[in-house]
Amino acid sequence: MATFYVFLGAPGVGKGTQAKLLCATLKLPHISSGDIFRENISRATKLGKLADDYISRGELVPDRITNAMIRERLGREDCSKGAILDGFPRTEGQAEALEKCLVELGGRIVAVFLIEVPDEVLLERLCGRWMCRAQGHIYHEKHHPPLQPGICDIDGSELYQREDDKAETVARRIHVYMEETAPLIEYFERQGLLRHVNGNQDVNTVANQIFKAIGERVS
Ligand code: AP5
Ligand code: MG
């Protein structure tokens, strides 16, 4: 049966950073709803134009649009053994849609990692973040600087700062997380899937907690 892992947590807790590490170990695709939206925005697709308005205000893209996008992505061949979901689901409606979709695909959620970090750390992380244009590799000017400023170590593409990382948009994103996504903590707790992860430690220590929770050794 295909196995799916979910990363849950406020903006800037390190979902993308940890999801990429887990993907490399488990050899499963990394499905980040935010990355798919940003890729569509940069290509000016119909989906990108629809999503841009919500993302730039720090609001969630409506469930109808997001669920259809994820359903299409999970139906592709590279997800036949499972996937790592980063930033989806984010509402109870999305969690229910995912459950239905996994029944159809013959998959199940194995674990939901809730990464937790004090609020004051989130802003510092997001204001210092730089991302690569080509593949979304993640850097931080203090905690994980690139070897050459402005250039991705992995694929040589340009690094940029996300539009929605401005302080006022970050504040809105955190508020929206508390209102709309935090209720999922109890939802997954009830299902016995939730794993708490202390995200306020260096990247490798956080990764070790996650690998330990799924019984994988870090090489
Ligand atoms: P999305 O792209 O998912 O953004 P987010 O949830 O706000 O989270 P971030 O990507 O900002 O943070 P992260 O937790 O991935 O942290 P990262 O690893 O980069 O969504 C963006 C928008 O798209 C949403 O606001 C919404 O509009 C829309 N959207 C997306 N999904 C949706 C959905 N399902 N439904 C509706 N709308 C949706 O790390 C942050 C920084 O910290 C980096 O610089 C990193 O290097 C650094 N860092 C990471 N870990 C550590 C550590 N342990 N120590 C020190 N620094 C660290
Ligand atoms: Mg992310």
Side-chain angles (χ1 to χ4, degrees), residues 12-14 17-18 117-118 120-130 138-147 153 199-204 206:
V13 291
T17 300
Q18 294 300 328
V117 156
E120 62 274 16
V121 177
L122 300 177
L123 195 61
E124 189 263 346
R125 285 201 184 168
L126 294 177
C127 292
R129 171 168 62 187
W130 288 81
I138 304 164
Y139 297 87
H140 190 279
E141 56 195 24
K142 199 164 105 199
H143 309 300
H144 177 38
L147 295 172
D153 296 350
N200 196 20
Q201 309 176 78
D202 68 75
V203 170
N204 289 333
V206 178

Side-chain angles (χ1 to χ4, degrees), residues 9-18 32-35 37-38 51 54-56 58-63 66 70 86-91 94 124-126 128-131 138-141 143-144 162 164-165 173 199-204 206:
V13 291
K15 300 183 295 297
T17 300
Q18 294 300 328
S32 156
S33 40
D35 283 353
F37 285 133
R38 282 184 287 281
Y54 297 96
I55 293 178
S56 58
E59 304 292 338
L60 294 185
V61 179
D63 283 0
T66 308
I70 293 291
D86 159 13
F88 182 90
R90 249 169 155 109
T91 64
Q94 292 181 14
E124 189 263 346
R125 285 201 184 168
L126 294 177
R129 171 168 62 187
W130 288 81
M131 291 192 54
I138 304 164
Y139 297 87
H140 190 279
E141 56 195 24
H143 309 300
H144 177 38
R162 271 170 47 178
D164 61 346
D165 281 347
R173 284 161 60 201
N200 196 20
Q201 309 176 78
D202 68 75
V203 170
N204 289 333
V206 178

Side-chain angles (χ1 to χ4, degrees), residues 15-201:
K15 300 183 295 297
T17 300
Q18 294 300 328
K20 283 183 191 299
L21 291 172
L22 190 59
C23 285
T25 304
L26 298 184
K27 311 259 184 303
L28 290 174
H30 173 203
I31 314 289
S32 156
S33 40
D35 283 353
I36 302 176
F37 285 133
R38 282 184 287 281
E39 202 240 325
N40 276 275
I41 291 170
S42 73
R43 289 193 290 120
T45 64
K46 194 174 155 209
L47 174 64
K49 283 176 194 156
L50 274 172
D52 195 11
D53 181 41
Y54 297 96
I55 293 178
S56 58
R57 285 185 286 121
E59 304 292 338
L60 294 185
V61 179
D63 283 0
R64 186 180 46 83
I65 299 171
T66 308
N67 288 341
M69 174 183 88
I70 293 291
R71 167 185 284 271
E72 186 281 322
R73 182 64 189 88
L74 294 184
R76 292 197 211 160
E77 178 54 30
D78 65 338
C79 294
S80 60
K81 293 206 168 99
I84 316 276
L85 297 173
D86 159 13
F88 182 90
R90 249 169 155 109
T91 64
E92 286 206 22
Q94 292 181 14
E96 284 159 11
L98 176 62
E99 237 173 67
K100 258 175 83 182
C101 180
L102 293 188
V103 169
E104 283 165 25
L105 293 171
R108 70 185 174 103
I109 299 176
V110 177
V112 175
F113 298 109
L114 171 67
I115 308 185
E116 294 164 302
V117 156
D119 278 358
E120 62 274 16
V121 177
L122 300 177
L123 195 61
E124 189 263 346
R125 285 201 184 168
L126 294 177
C127 292
R129 171 168 62 187
W130 288 81
M131 291 192 54
C132 114
R133 284 241 186 253
Q135 296 182 63
H137 295 121
I138 304 164
Y139 297 87
H140 190 279
E141 56 195 24
K142 199 164 105 199
H143 309 300
H144 177 38
L147 295 172
Q148 208 181 327
I151 308 282
C152 177
D153 296 350
I154 300 163
D155 60 33
S157 75
E158 179 201 16
L159 300 183
Y160 74 102
Q161 288 196 289
R162 271 170 47 178
E163 267 298 306
D164 61 346
D165 281 347
K166 290 190 293 248
E168 65 273 22
T169 318
V170 167
R172 182 66 199 157
R173 284 161 60 201
I174 293 172
H175 179 80
V176 168
Y177 171 80
M178 294 310 297
E179 292 283 306
E180 299 191 47
T181 306
L184 284 186
I185 296 171
E186 213 185 299
Y187 179 94
F188 286 121
E189 188 114 66
R190 278 199 303 271
Q191 299 185 5
L193 293 171
L194 200 74
R195 306 283 179 270
H196 289 267
V197 175
N198 174 3
N200 196 20
Q201 309 176 78

